[in-house]
Amino acid sequence: MTAPDTTDAAAAIPDARRTSLLRFATAGSVDDGKSTLVGRLLHDTKSILADAYEAMERVSKERGGEEVDLALLTDGLRAEREQGITIDVAYRYFSTPKRTFILADCPGHVQYTRNTVTGASTADALVVLIDARYGVVEQTKRHLAVAALLRVPHVIVAVNKIDLLDYAQGPFRSITQHVQTHAESLGLTNVVTVPVSALKGDNVALRSDLTPWYDGPTVLEVLETVPSIDQGADDFAAAHRRGIAHPTAEQARATESGWRMPVQWVLRPQDAAISPEYREYRGYAGQVAEGTIRVGDDVVVQPSGRRTTVAGIDTADGPLDHAHTGLSVSIRLADDVDVARGDLLSSAADAVAPERAFHAHVAWLTDRPLRVRDRVLIQHGSARVQAMVTAIDGILDISLPGGTLDSSIATGHELLLNDIGVVRFQLAQPLAVEDYGRHRRTGAFCVIDPQDGNTIGAGTARASAPGTGTDAHVTI
Amino acid sequence: MSEDDVTTSLTTLDALESEGIHIIREAVGTARKPVLLFSGGKDSVVVLHLATKAFWPGRVPFELLHVDTGHNFDEVLEFRDRTVERLGLRLQVAKVQDYIDDGRLRERPDGTRNPLQTVPLLDAIVNHGYDVVFGGARRDEEKARAKERVVSLRDEFGQWDPRNQRPELWNLYNPKHLPGQHVRVFPLSNWTELDVWRYIQREQIDLPDLYFAHERDVFTRDGMWLTPHPSVRVRDTDCPAPRSVRYRTVGDASCTGAVESTASTLDEIIAEVAATRITERGATRADDRLSEAAMEDRKKEGYF
C-alpha cells in the first residue's frame, strides 16, 4: 500500500469547522431506484472509496451483472443482499465543498413505513422518489403524508427513470402538477420536483444535457442550499438576505417565538477533587431545543411554573452570552428554584402551558394495535410520563384523493401498524406539550410500551384538546 | 465557532459535538450503572472527551471498561492508564488471556483474538451490572454499522437483532430495557473518520503516538503492514524492514495493520485522511475481511 497523494485533494475538501450540516432522508417505493439514487449521489460526489467500490464491482460480477450495482453500497445486511431489498434505515455520510450531509436511507417497502418515519423525523429535507412511468402512486401519497405529519421543512420529489421516457417533458410536467396538487392539500408548501435518471446520473449531482427544457436545480443543488434545522432562526433570516433560500412560514414563526430547553441533568459537582470555585456550582444541562437563550432572559420552569432569570450560560469551553438552537449548554438560574431532569425551561415571554390531556397525530409503528384505554408511556424531551388513551378520533385514509389529513380521516377505533390517527391522551403528570406545527422539538413525542420498553408510536401534538375553544386549527 | 456565514448557526463540528453531549447526558440520565468501553483508540478517546464536556465542571459519572485481548500495543495501554489517571476515573479491565488460561476460551487457528473479545465483554457487563454501555463506533466505519441505531438494545445474550430495531425518532432516545438486557450507546454515530480528526485537532486532544507517522520494522501480509509483535506469527517468508508508517486504528496488533505514511502532525493526517481512497477498516482491519458479513455476524453475537 502506498501513501495517497495529498497534493490538491486537501484544498478541495469541505472544512467541517466552517460548513453546516444537513440531515436528509430518502423515501420511495420498491423498485423506484432509490438505492441507485443514493449510490449515484455518493458516486458523483466522489464519496465512495476505492475498496468499497471494488467490493461492489466484485459482487456485481459474481451475480452476473454487467454494470456495477450501486444499490449494493447501501444494502449492508445479509438478508438485504439476499433478498435485494432494503430492510432498515442506513445512515450515510458525504460532503461537498458547500456542506456536509447525513443521509438516512429509508426502505420503501410498505411493511417498513415505520423506518421512513424514523428517518424523516430528524430530516431537514426528504427526497421522495417517483417512477416517471407510473407517476404518483399510493406509496408516494404515504410518503408525502409522513412528510406533512412530521413537517419536514423541504421535500424534493425526484421523478426517476426519465431516461425510459426518452427525456420527454410532457410526463414530467403532468407528474409535477399532480404532486403539487396533492402536496398542497396536505399543507406542504416547499416541494420541488426534479427530472432524474439515477442510473445514468441525470440531474442528481450533475446537470443533464438531455433535459434542456428543465432549468431548475439538481437534487444536490437543492440539498446544498436549503436551511437546516440545526441552524438557528437568525440564520434563516441571514440565508434569506443572501437570497439562498426562502424561510418557510414555520421558520418565520420560529423567529418570533421564545426558546425552550429540556433539562437532562443537574450539574452539582460536590466533589472534593473539583476546583473550589465550582463546589457550589448548580447548572441545568440540556440542548437548546428552539430559539436563542440570552443571559438575563426571564425563565419559566415547567411544569412547576416557577419563574426566575438566566444568570449564566456555561460550556466546558467557557461562558456564553447567548446560545442558539442545537447547542448543548448548562444554564445557571438567578434563584435557587427546584429543577429536575424532565423539566422544561422556557422563555417567560412565550411560556409553555403544561397540560394533563392533549391530542396528537400518532403514526403507529408496531404490530399490536393501539386501543382506547391502553396505558402507554410518553417520552417528551427528557420527560417520561404515564398516559392513557382516552379516544381515537379517526384514522387517515391514504387512498382518499385530495383531502387534508383532517378531512380524509375515516372513523376507526384502533390504530394498526403504519396507521396515522388522531389520538387523545390523559397524563399522570402534566407535560409542556406544544403544537408541533409551531414547535417541532417540544411538539414531538414517542409512545413507549410500558411492559417491554419498545418504541411503538411517533406523535406530533396539536395545540390543545378539541372543543376547548383554544385549538388553533392545524391543517397538516 | 468560526466567523463569516456560519456565526449564527452551528458548524458541522459544533453540531456533532452538541449531539454527542446530548446523547451521553440522555443515556446517563436514565441509566443505573453506565460504563464507557475505553481502549485508548481515537474514537473512545473522543467519546471520553465529550463526556468530560457533558458533565463539566463535575467529574465523568461513570467508570471505564477495557476488554484487553492480550495483543495490545504497550504504548496504547500506557496511554490508556495515563488518561484514566489524569481524569481520576476508575478502569475495569476484562482480559481475554484469563479466559484462555483457565480454558473458557480457546485460541483460534489464525491466532487472532478479536472475535474472542465478545465473551469477556458480555461477562463484564453482567458481573458489574452495567445497563448502558457507551462505545466509540461510527456508522461510516462499515456497512452493517451503518444500520446501527444510536441507542441499541441488546438481549440477555448481548445479541443485536438488525431486523427488529426500535424506531429512533427525532432526538428522543429510548434506553428502556428489561432486566438482563442492556443498551449500547454510540455518541459518535454520525461522525466520519475525518470529523474525528478535525475534532481532535480543534480540541487538541492527546492520542497514542502510534497514530502519527514513525519508523518501525514492518512486513506486508494481505496488503497490510504488520508489526512483528509477540502476538503476530512471523513466517520465514516475512521480511520485516524499517518503514515510515502510522496506524489508522489501534486495535489488536495481530489483525490491525499500519499504513505507509509520513503524516506526523494533525494537519498532515487530516490531509491524508481527506485524500485517501481506502476506507479505514478496509485498509487496516483483517478481522473485517473474514467474510462479506463479518461485522454483522460478530455484532449479532454481542461484539461491538
Side-chain angles (χ1 to χ4, degrees):
Chain A
M1 203 168 303
T2 52
D5 176 20
T6 60
T7 42
D8 59 2
I13 56 157
D15 189 337
R17 293 166 302 185
R18 291 171 183 281
T19 55
S20 66
L21 179 66
L22 188 90
R23 296 165 201 255
F24 73 101
T26 57
S29 306
V30 180
D31 295 332
D32 276 351
K34 193 173 53 59
S35 295
T36 312
L37 179 94
V38 170
R40 171 60 62 189
L41 214 41
L42 297 176
H43 181 268
D44 288 0
T45 55
K46 301 187 170 41
S47 312
I48 305 177
L49 296 189
D51 57 328
Y53 192 80
E54 280 158 19
M56 270 192 302
E57 233 173 0
R58 195 182 61 240
V59 176
S60 300
K61 260 187 208 147
E62 280 166 13
R63 289 188 181 171
E66 282 172 23
E67 290 181 41
V68 173
D69 183 0
L70 290 173
L72 285 170
L73 189 75
T74 55
D75 290 341
L77 299 175
R78 191 188 284 278
E80 291 177 325
R81 287 191 296 276
E82 284 166 4
Q83 297 171 37
I85 57 161
T86 312
I87 289 173
D88 204 346
V89 187
Y91 293 86
R92 305 283 155 195
Y93 304 84
F94 70 100
S95 47
T96 68
K98 291 191 176 143
R99 199 169 229 177
T100 53
F101 297 95
I102 299 177
L103 189 178
D105 182 20
C106 306
H109 199 278
V110 62
Q111 147 185 28
Y112 302 112
T113 296
R114 63 183 198 147
N115 294 325
T116 307
V117 175
T118 296
S121 70
T122 53
D124 302 306
L126 181 69
V127 180
V128 176
L129 257 89
I130 291 185
D131 187 324
R133 294 169 300 170
Y134 309 125
V136 174
V137 296
E138 188 177 320
Q139 264 305 72
T140 315
K141 292 181 181 173
R142 190 176 282 277
H143 291 142
L144 291 175
V146 168
L149 178 77
L150 298 177
R151 296 215 173 225
V152 179
H154 298 273
V155 177
I156 302 156
V157 175
V159 182
N160 192 25
K161 306 196 185 182
I162 199 83
D163 54 313
L164 298 180
L165 298 177
D166 295 326
Y167 298 95
Q169 183 180 13
F172 174 73
R173 192 185 282 165
S174 63
I175 290 171
T176 298
Q177 245 162 25
H178 192 177
V179 166
Q180 294 295 359
T181 308
H182 190 76
E184 261 170 48
S185 72
L186 288 164
L188 288 169
T189 49
N190 281 336
V191 179
V192 179
T193 53
V194 185
V196 155
S197 167
L199 189 69
K200 311 279 184 191
D202 299 296
N203 297 327
V204 178
L206 306 166
R207 262 168 205 279
S208 175
D209 295 336
L210 301 167
T211 52
W213 41 266
Y214 175 74
D215 58 4
T218 63
V219 171
L220 185 64
E221 281 169 353
V222 182
L223 294 171
E224 281 182 326
T225 51
V226 296
S228 70
I229 294 167
D230 274 341
Q231 288 170 282
D234 294 353
D235 197 54
F236 290 126
H240 188 47
R241 279 197 302 277
R242 292 199 305 273
I244 288 174
H246 302 285
T248 62
E250 181 189 350
Q251 291 149 8
R253 276 197 302 275
T255 60
E256 297 156 13
S257 63
W259 54 264
R260 280 99 179 80
M261 191 188 89
V263 175
Q264 295 184 281
W265 186 262
V266 181
L267 290 165
R268 285 208 71 191
Q270 299 157 303
D271 189 323
I274 300 295
S275 157
E277 59 180 311
Y278 295 117
R279 275 188 207 142
E280 299 303 315
Y281 188 89
R282 182 195 279 263
Y284 303 100
Q287 186 178 28
V288 184
E290 188 173 304
T292 302
I293 308 181
R294 290 186 170 80
V295 175
D297 279 359
D298 291 327
V299 183
V300 180
V301 182
Q302 298 296 9
S304 72
R306 290 196 178 84
R307 288 173 177 256
T308 177
T309 54
V310 175
I313 304 170
D314 297 326
T315 69
D317 298 310
L320 301 172
D321 53 15
H322 65 279
H324 289 290
T325 309
L327 202 64
S328 285
V329 293
S330 167
I331 302 290
R332 273 179 290 118
L333 298 177
D335 301 293
D336 202 6
V337 294
D338 180 26
V339 181
R341 174 177 163 81
D343 287 351
L344 183 75
L345 302 182
S346 75
S347 50
D350 179 31
V352 188
E355 307 272 0
R356 274 195 178 271
F358 71 103
H359 75 296
H361 281 112
V362 173
W364 198 239
L365 309 174
T366 189
D367 290 324
R368 194 169 55 77
L370 180 74
R371 300 196 174 101
V372 174
R373 301 201 67 75
D374 275 357
R375 284 171 185 279
V376 294
L377 293 173
I378 286 187
Q379 169 94 38
H380 174 255
S382 53
R384 180 178 293 166
V385 304
Q386 294 191 61
M388 189 195 276
V389 176
T390 51
I392 294 176
D393 288 339
I395 296 156
L396 171 68
D397 186 347
I398 298 281
S399 63
L400 288 177
T404 63
L405 273 192
D406 285 337
S407 71
S408 57
I409 278 172
T411 49
H413 302 290
E414 55 179 23
L415 285 191
L416 305 177
L417 177 66
N418 295 327
D419 278 348
I420 296 170
V422 177
V423 179
R424 281 192 251 187
F425 294 100
Q426 193 176 356
L427 301 170
Q429 286 137 12
L431 265 190
V433 177
E434 298 190 87
D435 189 307
Y436 184 83
R438 289 196 65 198
H439 303 276
R440 192 166 161 166
R441 287 289 179 221
T442 44
F445 63 94
C446 293
V447 183
I448 293 174
D449 186 324
Q451 292 188 54
D452 62 17
N454 280 327
T455 305
I456 51 182
T460 56
R462 304 186 55 180
S464 62
T468 60
T470 55
D471 185 14
H473 182 76
V474 187
T475 306
I476 290 189
Chain B
M1 274 176 249
S2 62
E3 59 289 359
D4 61 67
D5 320 22
V6 287
T7 38
T8 57
S9 69
L10 303 185
T11 64
T12 298
L13 280 190
D14 292 326
L16 291 173
E17 178 189 69
S18 278
E19 180 184 75
I21 289 172
H22 172 77
I23 291 164
I24 292 169
R25 286 170 174 169
E26 269 315 277
V28 169
T30 55
R32 195 183 60 249
K33 193 172 181 192
V35 70
L36 165 64
L37 282 195
F38 185 74
S39 62
K42 66 182 188 308
D43 300 311
S44 58
V45 168
V46 168
V47 177
L48 183 57
H49 184 80
L50 291 176
T52 60
K53 286 195 159 190
F55 300 103
W56 177 94
R59 192 191 277 269
V60 173
F62 46 78
E63 54 190 34
L64 311 181
L65 170 67
H66 183 217
V67 181
D68 184 351
T69 61
H71 289 175
N72 287 293
F73 294 97
D74 291 339
E75 50 213 290
V76 178
L77 296 182
E78 281 158 23
F79 172 85
R80 176 198 75 183
D81 294 339
R82 205 164 61 233
T83 305
V84 170
E85 170 98 31
R86 176 172 60 84
L87 296 172
L89 298 176
R90 188 209 298 257
L91 172 76
Q92 306 284 356
V93 181
K95 292 184 172 164
V96 171
Q97 190 65 51
D98 292 346
Y99 282 70
I100 291 173
D101 291 346
D102 66 17
R104 281 177 290 172
L105 284 174
R106 281 190 305 266
E107 202 85 74
R108 292 159 52 99
D110 62 6
T112 178
R113 287 184 173 182
N114 230 25
L116 301 183
Q117 289 181 84
T118 302
V119 172
L121 168 64
L122 295 179
D123 279 359
I125 289 170
V126 172
N127 294 340
H128 292 283
Y130 300 130
D131 57 342
V132 165
V133 183
F134 289 104
R138 311 187 317 267
R139 287 172 177 150
D140 83 322
E141 282 179 82
E142 209 276 337
K143 55 185 182 289
R145 282 204 165 141
K147 300 273 172 179
E148 180 71 88
R149 297 283 191 264
V150 172
V151 173
S152 175
L153 183 72
R154 301 302 165 107
D155 69 8
E156 296 82 342
F157 298 95
Q159 296 181 105
W160 179 60
D161 181 0
R163 302 189 69 170
N164 193 26
Q165 298 195 78
R166 285 177 181 170
E168 201 151 77
L169 302 152
W170 296 284
N171 63 344
L172 302 171
Y173 300 103
N174 176 9
K176 201 169 157 62
H177 58 278
L178 298 175
Q181 299 175 336
H182 69 275
V183 291
R184 306 267 171 99
V185 178
F186 306 104
L188 305 188
S189 285
N190 287 325
W191 298 47
T192 63
E193 184 185 10
L194 193 54
D195 293 329
V196 168
W197 281 110
R198 289 264 197 222
Y199 188 70
I200 287 167
Q201 182 195 47
R202 187 181 88 170
E203 302 288 308
Q204 294 295 303
I205 301 171
D206 201 18
L207 284 183
D209 292 339
L210 279 180
Y211 282 112
F212 301 89
H214 54 287
E215 191 111 320
R216 69 161 61 214
D217 281 348
V218 288
F219 63 94
T220 181
R221 185 183 289 172
D222 302 332
M224 294 189 304
W225 293 107
L226 292 183
T227 299
H229 180 272
S231 69
V232 178
R233 292 167 202 181
V234 181
R235 301 167 194 147
D236 293 344
T237 48
D238 298 328
C239 307
R243 258 171 207 282
S244 177
V245 297
R246 69 174 200 90
Y247 284 80
R248 281 173 79 179
T249 65
V250 296
D252 188 309
S254 69
C255 63
T256 304
V259 292
E260 197 166 23
S261 170
T262 54
S264 58
T265 65
L266 287 170
D267 280 336
E268 287 166 357
I269 289 174
I270 286 166
E272 184 180 289
V273 170
T276 186
R277 303 300 304 149
I278 307 291
T279 61
E280 180 178 341
R281 291 202 156 253
T284 64
R285 293 301 275 266
D287 45 329
D288 290 338
R289 300 173 171 187
L290 297 175
S291 82
E292 173 81 356
M295 175 69 88
E296 179 183 350
D297 292 344
R298 276 182 295 141
K299 277 167 64 69
K300 280 181 179 168
E301 289 166 10
Y303 183 80
F304 244 84

